[in-house]
Amino acid sequence: MTALTLSTAAAPGLRADAIVIGVAKGSKGPVVAPGAEAVDKAYDGKLAGVLETLGASGTEGEVTKLPAPSGFKAPLVVAVGLGAQPEKDSGFDAEALRKAAGVAARALAGSKKAAFALPLTDAADAGAIGEGVLLGAYTFDSYKDNNKDPKAKNGKAPLAEAALLGGKPRDKAYKAAVERAVAVCEELNRARDLINMPPNDLNPEAFAAIAQTAAKEHGIKIQVLDEKALVKGGYGGILGVGSGSASAPRLVKLSYTHSKAKKHLAFVGKGITYDSGGISLKPAGHNETMKCDMSGAAAVFAAVVAAARIGLEVNVTGWLALAENMPSGSATRPGDVLRMYSGKTVEVLNTDAEGRLVLADALWAASAEKPDAIVDVATLTGAMMLALGSRTFGIMANDDAFRSAVHEAAEEVGEAAWPMPLPEHLRKGMDSAVADIANMGERMGGGLVAGLFLKEFVGEGITWAHLDIAGPAFNEGGPFGYTPKGGTGTAVRTLVRLAELTAAGDLG
């Protein structure tokens, strides 16, 4: 991963492949952002005009390259758009800095070192720029033939080093901000790797093994329930979903504890390592990206490890409900009834509504420990994509204040989310003549129906939120900001922020 350093060096004398500066969109044309004063001075104060001549406007995501001025040791200046110029006396928000840094880092793939002279006024800005760099520079090329001849790479290597100009290397707050960015982004990028891995290599057993290795490295207690333990424990939802696959399911429990913790959070992730739809087979054109149906479990895994690496004073338990949903002679059929870990029975009307079944068992297991709050994360419904699009996840909860707190945390870290209701009248649609509940209800409002199903398996009196990340979990389009094509790692930063707020006593 790209190395981050804080630097007090002046841009002209710094040896690098490029100097990155920010450009804002002003009312009369592009405006050179703070941090680039030395570069602007070298252009006799006319850098904005030069950029405008080259077609730059300061629009978010825009990249303009030009030769560095005479006397600079770096040969290239990369001007990246920051979006609208902020009002007087207000700086650029953290998300604008993240996106700009991410765009620049991606544009500089193949470079050894770049100096980022973006607006940096405090440690929080350093953290935001660092996150943008580390997330924007991400690539996934493990399955490309890159190793036989380094000169014959299919793609360029990620930017090797980013120096954040204006940073204070000896300042504790700045150092902590960069260290946090590295811990969170390394784990988020690990989640992206897992999401991007082909399902023939990442089955439930393989995912559990990766979690075991990480847990050992970072001092996290781990328990893995294999198929025998799941049968003995009565985890009918996870077993039912995984019954059609040659790869047996797993339930993984990751426990990070801190001696000074006063609160306990539980994160539950849907981990369908491949979703064919089962007997209710998905139609052609809907199977190709279903390796991403474990994005919720990847996010939970990454968040727990990040919390451990940062050393947050909160206990965090992560539950990874892992299964592969395949059709076969042993697969669960529409019409079958499963007895869940909670003891409730579920009539399966559609085997492609499988995520709620594995989550139900994990939610009940998490509830048994009486945490202060539970947050589940899942690529659960296409209905949520229809409602909110491909870049925004939905938030449902059994407590309005907690739903608002989760939404605020997501906004704070730059993850697009929107609060959604849980209308009680939709519950009746899941009534079953033969079981306690069916796994399907009314078609309209399907994302909300799924949330109501999950609510049935949350222990009484426990605060709970459900994040349906079906839209933003996997980017099938081109990269934007610091978001790559493929697995995105969405929800990781929201979960980490919730853990930080809980540790600080600012969340309930």
Coordinates of all heavy atoms in Angstrom, one line a residue, residues 401-443:
A401 N -33.5 7.5 17.3 CA -32.3 8.2 17.7 C -31.1 7.5 17.2 O -30.1 8.1 16.8 CB -32.3 8.4 19.2
F402 N -31.1 6.2 17.4 CA -29.9 5.4 16.9 C -29.8 5.4 15.4 O -28.6 5.6 14.9 CB -30.0 4.0 17.4 CG -28.7 3.2 17.2 CD1 -27.5 3.5 17.8 CD2 -28.8 2.0 16.5 CE1 -26.4 2.8 17.6 CE2 -27.6 1.2 16.2 CZ -26.4 1.7 16.8
R403 N -30.9 5.3 14.7 CA -30.8 5.4 13.3 C -30.2 6.8 12.8 O -29.4 6.8 11.9 CB -32.2 5.3 12.7 CG -32.3 5.4 11.2 CD -33.7 5.3 10.7 NE -34.5 6.4 11.2 CZ -35.9 6.4 11.1 NH1 -36.5 5.4 10.6 NH2 -36.5 7.5 11.6
S404 N -30.6 7.9 13.5 CA -30.1 9.2 13.2 C -28.6 9.2 13.5 O -27.8 9.8 12.8 CB -30.8 10.3 14.0 OG -32.2 10.3 13.6
A405 N -28.2 8.6 14.6 CA -26.8 8.6 15.0 C -25.9 7.9 14.0 O -24.8 8.3 13.6 CB -26.6 8.0 16.4
V406 N -26.4 6.7 13.5 CA -25.7 6.0 12.4 C -25.6 6.8 11.2 O -24.6 6.9 10.5 CB -26.4 4.6 12.2 CG1 -25.7 3.9 11.0 CG2 -26.4 3.8 13.4
H407 N -26.7 7.5 10.8 CA -26.7 8.3 9.6 C -25.7 9.4 9.7 O -24.9 9.7 8.8 CB -28.1 8.9 9.4 CG -28.3 9.7 8.1 ND1 -29.1 10.8 8.0 CD2 -27.6 9.6 6.9 CE1 -29.0 11.3 6.8 NE2 -28.1 10.6 6.1
E408 N -25.6 10.1 10.9 CA -24.7 11.2 11.1 C -23.2 10.6 11.0 O -22.4 11.3 10.5 CB -24.9 11.8 12.4 CG -26.2 12.6 12.5 CD -26.6 13.1 13.9 OE1 -25.8 12.9 14.8 OE2 -27.7 13.6 14.1
A409 N -23.0 9.5 11.6 CA -21.7 8.9 11.5 C -21.3 8.6 10.1 O -20.1 8.9 9.6 CB -21.6 7.6 12.3
A410 N -22.2 8.1 9.3 CA -21.9 7.8 7.9 C -21.6 9.1 7.1 O -20.6 9.2 6.3 CB -23.1 7.1 7.2
E411 N -22.4 10.1 7.3 CA -22.1 11.4 6.7 C -20.8 12.0 7.1 O -20.1 12.6 6.3 CB -23.3 12.4 7.1 CG -24.6 12.1 6.4 CD -25.6 13.3 6.6 OE1 -25.6 13.9 7.6 OE2 -26.3 13.6 5.6
E412 N -20.4 11.8 8.3 CA -19.2 12.4 8.8 C -18.0 11.8 8.1 O -17.0 12.5 7.9 CB -19.1 12.1 10.3 CG -17.9 12.8 11.0 CD -17.8 12.6 12.5 OE1 -18.8 12.1 13.1 OE2 -16.8 12.9 13.1
V413 N -18.0 10.5 7.8 CA -16.9 9.9 7.2 C -17.0 9.9 5.7 O -16.1 9.4 5.0 CB -16.7 8.4 7.7 CG1 -16.5 8.4 9.2 CG2 -17.9 7.5 7.3
G414 N -18.1 10.4 5.1 CA -18.2 10.5 3.7 C -18.9 9.3 3.0 O -18.7 9.2 1.8
E415 N -19.6 8.5 3.7 CA -20.3 7.4 3.1 C -21.8 7.8 3.0 O -22.5 8.1 3.9 CB -20.2 6.1 4.0 CG -18.7 5.6 4.0 CD -18.6 4.2 4.5 OE1 -19.3 3.9 5.5 OE2 -17.8 3.5 3.9
A416 N -22.3 7.8 1.7 CA -23.6 8.2 1.4 C -24.6 7.2 2.0 O -24.5 6.0 1.7 CB -23.8 8.4 -0.1
A417 N -25.6 7.7 2.8 CA -26.6 6.8 3.4 C -27.8 7.6 3.6 O -27.9 8.9 3.5 CB -26.1 6.3 4.8
W418 N -28.9 6.9 3.8 CA -30.2 7.6 4.0 C -31.1 6.8 5.0 O -31.2 5.5 4.8 CB -30.9 7.7 2.7 CG -32.0 8.8 2.7 CD1 -33.4 8.5 2.7 CD2 -31.9 10.2 2.9 NE1 -34.1 9.7 2.8 CE2 -33.1 10.8 2.9 CE3 -30.7 11.0 3.0 CZ2 -33.3 12.1 3.1 CZ3 -30.9 12.4 3.1 CH2 -32.2 12.9 3.2
P419 N -31.7 7.4 5.9 CA -32.6 6.7 6.9 C -33.9 6.2 6.2 O -34.5 7.0 5.4 CB -32.9 7.8 8.0 CG -32.7 9.1 7.3 CD -31.6 8.9 6.3
M420 N -34.3 5.0 6.5 CA -35.5 4.4 5.9 C -36.4 3.9 7.1 O -35.9 3.5 8.1 CB -35.1 3.2 5.0 CG -34.1 3.6 3.9 SD -34.9 4.6 2.7 CE -35.9 3.5 1.8
P421 N -37.7 3.8 6.8 CA -38.6 3.4 7.9 C -38.8 1.9 7.9 O -38.3 1.2 7.1 CB -39.9 4.1 7.4 CG -39.8 4.1 5.9 CD -38.4 4.3 5.6
L422 N -39.4 1.5 9.0 CA -39.9 0.1 9.1 C -41.4 0.1 9.4 O -41.8 -0.1 10.5 CB -39.1 -0.6 10.3 CG -37.6 -0.9 10.0 CD1 -37.0 -1.4 11.3 CD2 -37.5 -2.0 8.9
P423 N -42.2 0.2 8.3 CA -43.6 0.4 8.5 C -44.2 -1.0 9.0 O -44.1 -2.0 8.3 CB -44.1 0.7 7.1 CG -42.9 1.1 6.3 CD -41.8 0.4 6.9
E424 N -44.9 -0.9 10.1 CA -45.4 -2.1 10.7 C -46.5 -2.8 9.9 O -46.7 -4.0 9.9 CB -46.0 -1.8 12.1 CG -45.0 -1.6 13.2 CD -44.1 -2.8 13.4 OE1 -44.6 -3.9 13.3 OE2 -42.9 -2.6 13.7
H425 N -47.2 -2.1 9.0 CA -48.2 -2.7 8.2 C -47.6 -3.7 7.2 O -48.4 -4.6 6.7 CB -49.1 -1.6 7.5 CG -48.3 -0.9 6.3 ND1 -47.6 0.2 6.5 CD2 -48.2 -1.2 5.0 CE1 -47.1 0.6 5.4 NE2 -47.4 -0.3 4.4
L426 N -46.3 -3.6 6.9 CA -45.7 -4.5 5.9 C -45.4 -5.9 6.6 O -45.2 -6.8 5.9 CB -44.4 -3.9 5.4 CG -44.6 -2.7 4.4 CD1 -43.2 -2.2 4.1 CD2 -45.4 -3.1 3.2
R427 N -45.4 -5.9 7.9 CA -45.1 -7.2 8.6 C -46.1 -8.3 8.3 O -45.8 -9.5 8.1 CB -45.1 -6.9 10.1 CG -45.0 -8.2 11.0 CD -43.8 -9.0 10.7 NE -43.8 -10.3 11.5 CZ -44.4 -11.4 11.1 NH1 -45.2 -11.4 10.0 NH2 -44.4 -12.5 11.9
K428 N -47.4 -7.9 8.1 CA -48.5 -8.9 7.9 C -48.2 -9.7 6.6 O -48.6 -10.9 6.5 CB -49.8 -8.2 7.8 CG -51.0 -9.2 7.7 CD -52.3 -8.4 7.8 CE -53.5 -9.4 7.6 NZ -53.5 -10.5 8.6
G429 N -47.6 -9.1 5.6 CA -47.3 -9.8 4.4 C -46.4 -11.0 4.5 O -46.3 -11.8 3.6
M430 N -45.7 -11.1 5.7 CA -44.8 -12.3 5.9 C -45.5 -13.3 6.8 O -44.8 -14.3 7.2 CB -43.5 -11.8 6.6 CG -42.6 -11.0 5.7 SD -41.0 -10.5 6.4 CE -41.5 -9.2 7.5
D431 N -46.8 -13.2 7.1 CA -47.5 -14.2 7.8 C -47.5 -15.5 7.0 O -47.6 -15.5 5.7 CB -48.9 -13.8 8.1 CG -49.0 -12.8 9.2 OD1 -48.0 -12.5 9.8 OD2 -50.1 -12.2 9.3
S432 N -47.3 -16.6 7.7 CA -47.2 -17.9 7.0 C -48.3 -18.9 7.6 O -48.5 -18.8 8.8 CB -45.8 -18.6 7.2 OG -45.8 -19.9 6.8
A433 N -48.9 -19.7 6.8 CA -49.9 -20.7 7.2 C -49.2 -21.8 7.9 O -49.9 -22.5 8.7 CB -50.7 -21.1 6.1
V434 N -47.9 -22.1 7.7 CA -47.3 -23.3 8.2 C -46.1 -23.0 9.1 O -45.6 -23.9 9.8 CB -46.8 -24.2 7.0 CG1 -48.0 -24.6 6.2 CG2 -45.8 -23.5 6.2
A435 N -45.7 -21.7 9.2 CA -44.5 -21.4 10.0 C -44.7 -20.1 10.8 O -45.8 -19.4 10.6 CB -43.3 -21.3 9.2
D436 N -43.8 -19.8 11.6 CA -43.9 -18.5 12.4 C -43.9 -17.3 11.5 O -44.5 -16.3 11.8 CB -42.8 -18.4 13.5 CG -43.0 -19.5 14.5 OD1 -44.1 -19.8 14.9 OD2 -41.9 -20.1 14.9
I437 N -43.1 -17.4 10.4 CA -42.9 -16.2 9.5 C -42.4 -16.8 8.2 O -41.8 -17.9 8.1 CB -41.9 -15.2 10.1 CG1 -41.9 -13.9 9.3 CG2 -40.5 -15.8 10.3 CD1 -41.0 -12.8 10.0
A438 N -42.7 -16.1 7.1 CA -42.1 -16.4 5.8 C -41.0 -15.5 5.5 O -40.8 -14.4 6.1 CB -43.2 -16.3 4.7
N439 N -40.1 -15.9 4.6 CA -38.9 -15.1 4.3 C -39.2 -14.1 3.2 O -38.3 -13.4 2.7 CB -37.7 -15.9 3.9 CG -37.7 -16.5 2.5 OD1 -38.8 -16.8 2.0 ND2 -36.5 -16.7 1.9
M440 N -40.4 -14.0 2.7 CA -40.9 -13.0 1.7 C -42.2 -12.4 2.2 O -43.0 -13.0 2.9 CB -41.0 -13.7 0.4 CG -39.8 -14.2 -0.3 SD -38.6 -12.9 -0.8 CE -39.5 -12.2 -2.2
G441 N -42.4 -11.1 1.7 CA -43.6 -10.4 2.0 C -44.1 -9.7 0.8 O -43.9 -10.2 -0.4
E442 N -44.6 -8.5 1.0 CA -45.1 -7.7 -0.2 C -43.9 -7.3 -1.1 O -42.8 -7.1 -0.6 CB -45.8 -6.4 0.3 CG -47.1 -6.7 1.1 CD -47.8 -5.4 1.5 OE1 -47.6 -4.4 0.7 OE2 -48.5 -5.4 2.5
R443 N -44.1 -7.3 -2.4 CA -43.1 -7.0 -3.3 C -42.7 -5.5 -3.2 O -41.5 -5.1 -3.2 CB -43.6 -7.3 -4.8 CG -42.5 -7.0 -5.8 CD -42.9 -7.5 -7.2 NE -42.0 -7.1 -8.2 CZ -42.2 -6.0 -9.0 NH1 -43.2 -5.2 -8.8 NH2 -41.3 -5.7 -9.9

